């Protein structure tokens, strides 16, 4: 296809760039970005005002079941190529200290932190981007071998918050300050505060925090005294057992599930695991709204794929019975079920 005409406003180029992603046209997408740069738009604006919002829309189209996983992956790959092209065009040389950027262990959404890494690099930092799903032990080993002024950690999924806390503490034990970001910490960063981490809502804010080491280190300690009740640890220990019992319950309630293909069964087990992981994360940060927000999101995803939200509600009921001796888990499950019921009434 032919790339849209060059413009000096990324907003004007947005529609054409999205079309490039939809058409899986890597070369045209790069031409749009380079055209903006040649027209005098700063590399940072191209990354944050074009690539970032377009990638968010890619995720929304997948969530609405308008795009397949394959289309989403193709678009993400093209965006990564565009980021690389913008970085190569800028060719910025480091003048500041060393910053390590990484995703939490088990976190595979690598493009947002890649954008943070490139913004930091554009602002003169020497940046090492470790990519997706970095185990805490490997990150600490890297920090011991290579000096770093700060670590920027990304988390897109709240269910990964317990892992995030372990990584944050591991960095602190290595005496390296941490800034965190991503939707996994809440829209306002409230769960970052609960874990005792400095939070940045976007890449420029992360860059400003890293530039002020005193502010980065001046963070209240984690507020996790509630973990002494052992609910979180007990739920994690019972995860496999709870998935098995929920699957058995589902097969009894919905006989058609007994004939699921291997792929359908894997998807169902994955969804059950995500429900429990989100519940566990809610217990970890002592915020039931984390779980109810996840349940609402999951119901929307499944509804877009022609799976009734009642399937989620019945699973929550099963877990409520199995976890009746867990008061904080019971409260979160009740809140999630109430949200589903309210959504069902508003949809009628």
């Amino acid at each position: 296809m032919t790339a849209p005409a060059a413009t000096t406003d990324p907003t004007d180029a947005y529609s054409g760039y999205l079309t490039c992603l939809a058409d899986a046209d890597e070369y045209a997408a790069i031409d749009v970005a380079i055209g903006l740069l040649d027209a005098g738009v700063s590399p940072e604006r191209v990354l944050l005002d074009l690539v970032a919002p377009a990638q968010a829309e890619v995720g929304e189209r997948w969530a609405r079941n308008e795009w397949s996983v394959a289309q989403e992956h193709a678009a993400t790959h093209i965006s990564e190529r565009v980021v690389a092209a913008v970085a190569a065009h800028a060719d910025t040389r480091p003048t500041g200290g060393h910053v390590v950027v990484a995703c939490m262990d088990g976190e595979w959404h690598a493009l947002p932190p890649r954008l943070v890494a490139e913004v930091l690099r554009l602002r003169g930092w020497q940046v090492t981007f470790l990519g997706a799903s970095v185990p805490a032990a490997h990150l600490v080993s890297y920090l011991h071998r290579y000096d770093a002024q700060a670590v920027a950690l990304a988390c897109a999924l709240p269910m990964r918050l317990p892992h995030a806390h372990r990584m944050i503490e591991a960095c602190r034990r290595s005496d390296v300050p941490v800034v965190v970001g991503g939707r996994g910490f809440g829209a306002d960063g409230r769960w970052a505060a609960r874990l005792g981490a400095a939070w940045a809502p976007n890449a420029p804010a992360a860059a400003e925090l890293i530039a002020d080491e005193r502010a980065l280190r001046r963070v209240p300690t984690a507020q996790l005294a509630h973990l002494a009740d052992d609910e979180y640890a007990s739920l994690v220990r019972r995860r496999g057992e709870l998935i098995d019992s929920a699957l058995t319950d589902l097969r009894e309630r919905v006989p058609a599930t007994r004939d699921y293909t291997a792929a359908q069964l894997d998807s169902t087990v994955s969804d059950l695991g995500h429900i429990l992981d989100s519940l566990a994360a809610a217990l970890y940060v002592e915020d039931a709204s984390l779980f109810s927000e996840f349940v609402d999101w999951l119901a929307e995803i499944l509804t877009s794929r022609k799976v009734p939200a009642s399937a989620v509600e019945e699973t929550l009921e099963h877990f409520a019975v199995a976890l009746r001796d867990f008061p904080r888990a019971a409260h979160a499950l009740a809140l999630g079920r109430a949200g589903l019921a309210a959504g069902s009434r508003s949809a009628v």
Side-chain angles (χ1 to χ4, degrees), residues 45 92 104 143 324 326:
R45 281 197 67 201
T92 306
M104 304 295 177
L143 294 177
R324 57 185 174 274
F326 290 60

Side-chain angles (χ1 to χ4, degrees), residues 31 91 266 342 344:
D31 285 345
D91 193 26
D266 285 346
S344 298

Side-chain angles (χ1 to χ4, degrees), residues 246-266 268:
L247 193 58
T248 298
D249 176 69
L250 181 63
R251 284 169 169 164
E252 291 174 355
R253 287 188 288 101
V254 187
T257 60
R258 300 170 190 169
D259 299 321
Y260 270 7
T261 65
Q264 289 173 313
L265 182 61
D266 285 346
T268 301

Side-chain angles (χ1 to χ4, degrees), residues 13-164:
Y14 177 78
S15 177
Y17 181 76
L18 267 179
T19 299
C20 297
L21 297 184
D23 293 342
D25 194 332
E26 174 184 325
Y27 300 102
I30 292 174
D31 285 345
V32 171
I34 299 302
L36 286 167
L37 295 174
D38 289 341
V41 180
S42 72
E44 185 169 316
R45 281 197 67 201
V46 173
L47 295 176
L48 299 182
D49 296 344
L50 179 72
V51 179
Q55 189 60 27
E57 175 61 21
V58 168
E60 289 298 319
R61 291 185 181 189
W62 169 82
R64 296 192 299 263
N65 204 30
E66 295 173 8
W67 280 15
S68 68
V69 171
Q71 288 174 295
E72 183 269 333
H73 284 186
T76 299
H77 169 73
I78 292 171
S79 290
E80 289 170 344
R81 295 282 292 162
V82 170
V83 171
V86 171
H89 191 278
D91 193 26
T92 306
R93 301 298 176 179
T95 57
H98 182 208
V99 179
V100 174
V101 181
C103 291
M104 304 295 177
D105 190 7
E107 181 67 71
W108 298 98
H109 297 79
L111 185 57
R114 171 76 186 280
L115 291 172
V116 172
E118 294 306 329
V119 168
L120 290 171
R121 189 174 282 114
L122 288 169
R123 295 192 177 200
W125 294 96
Q126 177 187 345
V127 180
T128 300
F129 179 55
L130 300 183
S133 190
V134 180
H138 293 208
L139 175 60
V140 169
S141 176
Y142 187 89
L143 294 177
H144 285 168
R145 186 171 183 180
Y146 302 99
D147 289 336
Q149 182 169 329
V151 174
L153 297 175
C155 180
L157 302 172
M159 70 180 71
R160 308 304 301 175
L161 287 176
H163 298 272

